[in-house]
Amino acid sequence: MWRFTGRPAGPVATTLKSGPWVAPHVPAENTRHPLAAFEAEAGSRLRDALEAHAPGTEPRFVHGVPPEGQGEFAAGCFPLAKTLSAKPADIATTLAERVAKGLEGATDSWVAGVAAMGPYVNFRIDVPRLIAATLQATHTHGDAYGRLPERAEKVILEHTSANPNGPLHVGRARNPIIGDTLVRAYRMAGYDTEAQYYVDDMGKQVAILAWARAHLDEAQVGKLIGPAARDKVDHVQVRYYQAANRLMEEDAEVGREIQALIHATETGDDAALERVEEGYADVFQGMRDSLARMDVTFDRFIKESTFVKNGDTQKVIEGLQAQTEVPVGAEGEALYLDLALKGVTGRSTRFFFRRSDGTSLYATRDVAYHLWKAGQADRLVNVLGEDHKLQATQVRVSLEMLKAPTLPQVVFYSFVSLPEGKMSTRRGRVVFLDDLLDEAVERAYVEVKKRRGDELSESEMRTIAEHVGVGAVRFTIAKVQAEKSITFKWEEALSFDGFAAPFIQYSHARVAGILDKAKAHGHLPDPDRAHLLVHDSEAALAKAIARLPVVVADAAAKHRTHGIADYAYEVAQAFNAFYRDCRVVDAETPELVSARLALVEAARSALAAAHHLLGIKALEQM
RNA sequence: GGGCACGUAGCCUAGCCCGGAUAUGGCGUGGGCCUCCUAAGCCCAAGAUCGGGGGUUCGAAUCCCCCCGUGCCCGCCA
C-alpha cells in the first residue's frame, strides 16, 4: 500500500522561513524571544546609521530573510533610492559600513556581523548567544516554553456548532479542527480563551429528530432506512431523522405534528424544548465523542433557545425595528431590513428578522447570542463555513446597528467536496468523520505492525496507531489555508509521508529515544555548555526552536493554522538534520553530550508545543 | 443576473495583507544512503508561461482593471 523508498529530496537543513520574523505583539525585550531582540536591535542600528548618513530621512526598508548562509535579517534599501537619489546597492554599502563601525567594541549585542549584498544590508545573529539563550529558555520553562505572557483579554471562540441531528461528516470536519487549533493558539498566546459550541436546539432539524424518536421504533426505521452503517449512537439515530423526513412527504399529518413542535420551540415553550432535547441528546453525545477522539473539547455549550426564553431575541427584533440606518420593510406581519445600503447585493437584499407569526429566525437569534457574547469578552472569533457568509454579514450589520461593543472576527473555510461532487447526506454521498478516523487508524496500525511488530505489544501498537491516525487527519486539515477548497481523496487524506503528522511525531519519538538512552547512561542536559555546539545543524535547530513564540503570536493574530503546521515540520526537519549529523549519547566528550542533550531537550519542548497546538499526540515511540 | 472566495510543476501547497536577492515545501517520478541514539528517516536529480490579457512601477505571484474556470451565497431554512 505504501512505499517508503525513493523519496524526493528534502531541503538542506533549513533555518528560517521567509517573511518578517517578528509579529508586532512579541515583546522584543522578553528574554524568551532572542530573535525578536536581535531583529529589534538590527533595525535600531540600521536607523541610527541612516540618521547619521542622511539626517531626517524616513527609515523605510524592505524586511526579509537573506538566502542561506548570509545572515538572519535583511533590509532592502530600495525604498530609500528616490529620497536619497542614490542606487540601492550604494546605500546598502554605506549603511552596512556605518553599522559595522557602530558595532566595533559594542558589548551585549545580538548582531554578530553586517554586510551589504547588492541592495540589501544583511545582519548575522550572534549564533552562540542565540543557542545559549534558547537552551536557557527551554531549560527554564520546559513545557511552558512558547507560552506568551498572559494578557488581560478574554476571547470567546465559537466553532463547530453543527446541528445535533446526525454524525459529523468530513465536509464540515474543518470547522472543529481549525477552531480547536485556534483555541490552542490563543491560549498559548496568553489569552483567556473560552471555546463555545452554539447548539441549535430549535427549528426544523432537531424537531424532526425529536418527533421521530418519540413516534418511531427500530423496526419501522430499519424497514424504511435499513441498518445503521455502524454501531454508534449518532449513526443509529440519524436514521430516525431520515425516516421522519420520508414520512413527512407521504403523510401530511406527520408534517403537521412536526410543524407544531417547531413552532412550540420557537416560542420558547419549555415542554417542547425539553422534548426536543431528549430527542437529540444521544446523537449529540455521539458527535461529541467523535470530536473528543480528535481531542476537540469545549468549555461551554450555549443553547440557541436561551436567547428566546430570556427575551433577548425579542429585544433584537425591537432594536432592529427601531433603528434608522436602513429601511425596515414589512410583508404582512413579517419584518425585514433592506441591506442594499450596507453593500449586500444579489437577487434579494432583504434580511428577514421576524416571521409573520411573530417568531424569530436563526440569524435574529444569532444576533442575540452575539450581543450576549460581546458583553463578556473582549474579542469574539467564529469559525464558519463559507455558506454562512451572507448570514455573517447580516449579523455583523445588525450588531453594528445595535451598538454591540465587540464584533466577531470570522474565519471562513471552504467546503470539502468529493471527487464525484458535493457531499450530500440525502444522496448517500458522504464520508463520515468516524469512517475517516477509523481508516486512518487502521492504516497506521498496519504500518506500526510492519515496523515494530516484533518489539511492541498489541496494545502499544493500537495506542500508537490511534494517535498517528487521528493526528494525521488533524494535520491534513490544519496544514491548508482555510479558504482553499478541498476535494477529498482517501489517498491524500491518509498520506503519512512527508509534510504530514507522522513525520512530526516520528521526530518527537526520536527525541524521546535519545533522552531515554541518555537517562539510562546517567547523562544530564547542561544548557550552560551551549558554547560547545558549533555544528551548523545545531545552530539551525536552535534557530528553529527559537522561532516558536513568533509562530504562536502569529497564529493567534492572523487566525491561521497552517503556519503552525509549517513550523512543526520545520522543527522536525531541523531535528532530523541534527540527528543525521550529530551523535548525542556517544558524542566525543561528556561535556558535549550534556550540551547536546540540552539541545535535544529544547527540541523536545518546541516539538511538544507544536504537537499541543495542533492537537496531536507527542509520542514516546512509534 | 449580482456578490464573496479560490486558481502557483502530473497532483497538493507556501508566499499575496505590507511589490524587491535564483518562487516554498510535500506527493508522485528517476538515482543513492541502514556494522551507528527508530530508514514513518537522510541525500541527489528532473519538473513552474505563478489561470489569461491589459495597466501602475526602476521592479508584479504580490497592487489596479477586464476576461476565463471552480466553489459558495442571494429562503418568513439552519
Side-chain angles (χ1 to χ4, degrees):
Chain A
M1 201 178 314
W2 288 299
R3 306 228 304 273
F4 290 90
T5 53
R7 266 191 213 80
V12 243
T14 328
T15 53
L16 301 153
K17 298 281 172 180
S18 60
W21 284 6
V22 181
H25 11 289
V26 179
E29 67 278 11
N30 189 316
T31 53
R32 290 190 221 180
H33 312 309
L35 292 176
F38 161 70
E39 190 188 85
E41 185 193 329
S44 153
R45 288 185 180 275
L46 192 61
R47 283 191 298 275
D48 290 349
L50 179 64
E51 181 62 24
H53 171 64
T57 311
E58 192 195 346
R60 294 188 57 239
F61 297 92
V62 176
H63 299 282
V65 177
E68 187 77 42
Q70 292 183 46
E72 289 74 26
F73 179 72
C77 299
F78 311 97
L80 294 170
K82 200 164 263 177
T83 38
L84 298 181
S85 22
K87 287 184 196 166
D90 293 342
I91 299 170
T93 305
T94 307
L95 295 181
E97 278 169 10
R98 280 190 184 272
V99 171
K101 198 152 283 175
L103 278 169
E104 280 171 24
T107 54
D108 193 39
S109 173
W110 279 101
V111 179
V114 61
M117 177 61 73
Y120 294 89
V121 181
N122 292 337
F123 291 82
R124 272 189 304 108
I125 194 169
D126 183 337
V127 173
R129 184 175 175 184
L130 170 73
I131 296 174
T134 303
L135 297 196
Q136 283 301 344
T138 52
H139 192 71
T140 307
H141 297 104
D143 279 355
Y145 173 67
R147 197 163 288 281
L148 272 34
E150 292 209 357
R151 37 172 71 218
E153 206 173 328
K154 170 76 180 274
V155 179
I156 292 178
L157 202 153
E158 180 206 337
H159 68 87
T160 308
S161 302
N163 283 346
N165 65 337
L168 295 158
H169 60 74
V170 304
R172 298 269 182 200
R174 294 182 100 171
N175 201 319
I177 295 170
I178 292 169
D180 184 61
T181 306
L182 292 178
V183 166
R184 290 159 181 271
Y186 263 109
R187 293 213 169 111
M188 202 175 279
Y191 293 85
D192 175 13
T193 310
E194 183 171 305
Q196 288 192 359
Y197 188 124
Y198 184 53
V199 185
D200 179 23
D201 65 336
M202 308 178 62
K204 200 172 167 185
Q205 318 302 335
V206 281
I208 293 172
L209 176 62
W211 181 90
R213 296 255 291 126
H215 291 83
L216 305 178
D217 61 31
E218 185 55 35
Q220 288 169 285
V221 171
K223 202 168 158 193
L224 276 164
I225 305 297
R230 61 164 62 215
D231 185 24
K232 182 163 174 288
V233 65
D234 44 343
H235 293 262
V236 171
Q237 293 190 1
V238 70
R239 291 154 56 249
Y240 287 70
Y241 169 80
Q242 291 163 334
N245 263 302
R246 267 196 219 170
L247 290 174
M248 267 167 69
E249 287 168 19
E250 297 156 13
D251 188 342
E253 179 53 27
V254 173
R256 275 191 292 275
E257 286 180 33
I258 290 172
Q259 200 52 51
L261 186 54
I262 294 171
H263 186 79
T265 60
E266 289 185 339
T267 53
D269 181 85
D270 279 322
L273 286 167
E274 213 165 288
R275 272 203 289 151
V276 164
E277 183 162 355
E278 278 167 21
Y280 74 69
D282 293 344
V283 171
F284 194 33
Q285 186 57 52
M287 295 164 70
R288 283 149 68 181
D289 288 344
S290 299
L291 293 168
R293 190 180 182 191
M294 298 194 299
D295 211 2
V296 174
T297 56
F298 296 86
D299 299 303
R300 278 177 100 170
F301 295 89
I302 309 293
K303 285 190 249 178
E304 189 178 344
S305 59
T306 311
F307 306 104
V308 172
K309 293 205 293 193
N310 72 3
D312 284 2
T313 303
Q314 187 54 37
K315 284 184 203 150
V316 168
I317 289 175
E318 286 158 16
L320 292 180
Q321 216 172 339
Q323 61 73 38
T324 52
E325 284 184 51
V326 301
V328 177
E331 215 164 77
E333 295 294 306
L335 299 175
Y336 64 87
L337 260 33
D338 190 334
L339 298 183
L341 293 173
K342 294 288 182 178
V344 173
T345 59
R347 277 191 272 271
S348 168
T349 56
R350 302 189 298 183
F351 161 39
F352 277 89
F353 61 93
R354 192 189 111 124
R355 287 210 183 92
S356 47
D357 65 2
T359 60
S360 59
L361 288 99
Y362 179 83
T364 320
R365 303 188 289 264
D366 207 16
V367 172
Y369 171 43
H370 278 84
L371 281 172
W372 175 77
K373 283 197 282 190
Q376 50 186 291
D378 306 294
R379 187 187 292 224
L380 303 177
V381 181
N382 297 338
V383 180
L384 298 174
E386 61 176 337
D387 55 331
H388 280 66
K389 278 184 178 176
L390 175 62
Q391 193 235 320
T393 302
Q394 293 166 344
V395 170
R396 195 201 66 237
V397 168
S398 301
L399 289 170
E400 281 168 350
M401 296 188 306
L402 298 173
K403 307 280 182 277
T406 311
L407 296 177
Q409 298 173 268
V410 186
V411 178
F412 291 107
Y413 61 92
S414 296
F415 277 177
V416 179
S417 59
L418 294 172
E420 52 270 33
K422 194 180 168 179
M423 272 191 217
S424 159
T425 315
R426 202 162 39 82
R427 306 168 77 165
R429 210 166 53 191
V430 278
V431 177
F432 291 108
L433 176 60
D434 293 318
D435 293 335
L436 175 59
L437 293 174
D438 280 354
E439 182 68 20
V441 168
E442 190 49 37
R443 293 205 190 187
Y445 175 76
V446 171
E447 287 305 314
V448 71
K449 191 172 176 101
K450 188 166 83 193
R451 291 152 214 272
R452 311 288 306 279
D454 41 6
E455 298 170 65
L456 301 176
S457 72
E458 182 66 17
S459 79
E460 283 174 319
M461 289 192 289
R462 287 286 170 198
T463 304
I464 290 168
E466 176 71 18
H467 294 312
V468 169
V470 172
V473 170
R474 274 194 74 136
F475 194 89
T476 297
I477 297 295
K479 75 177 180 182
V480 182
Q481 278 183 35
E483 316 77 77
K484 295 256 187 186
S485 53
I486 294 180
T487 301
F488 180 86
K489 300 185 189 98
W490 282 102
E491 323 85 72
E492 285 172 18
L494 296 171
S495 166
F496 290 177
D497 293 335
F499 187 27
F503 181 93
I504 320 293
Q505 291 170 312
Y506 185 66
S507 281
H508 186 274
R510 277 179 155 177
V511 165
I514 292 174
L515 293 176
D516 271 357
K517 193 175 166 190
K519 200 174 173 188
H521 286 73
H523 296 297
L524 289 173
D526 186 355
D528 293 328
R529 295 226 166 88
H531 58 278
L532 297 174
L533 304 177
V534 295
H535 196 284
D536 283 351
S537 296
E538 292 168 334
L541 177 55
K543 283 181 198 171
I545 294 164
R547 225 167 64 80
L548 175 63
V550 178
V551 171
V552 171
D554 212 48
K558 293 180 179 168
H559 295 158
R560 292 196 303 196
T561 59
H562 66 276
I564 302 169
D566 281 345
Y567 177 73
Y569 185 75
E570 176 187 333
V571 178
Q573 195 174 242
F575 178 78
N576 283 337
F578 163 78
Y579 180 89
R580 176 195 66 219
D581 295 332
C582 305
R583 305 290 302 173
V584 178
V585 179
D586 38 352
E588 296 87 82
T589 65
E591 291 75 21
L592 186 55
V593 171
S594 57
R596 283 186 176 159
L597 267 181
L599 181 59
V600 173
E601 192 185 51
R604 204 205 64 79
S605 292
L607 281 171
H611 277 81
H612 183 259
L613 283 166
L614 292 165
I616 65 180
K617 179 85 172 173
L619 298 169
E620 297 299 308
Q621 57 175 349
M622 60 186 282

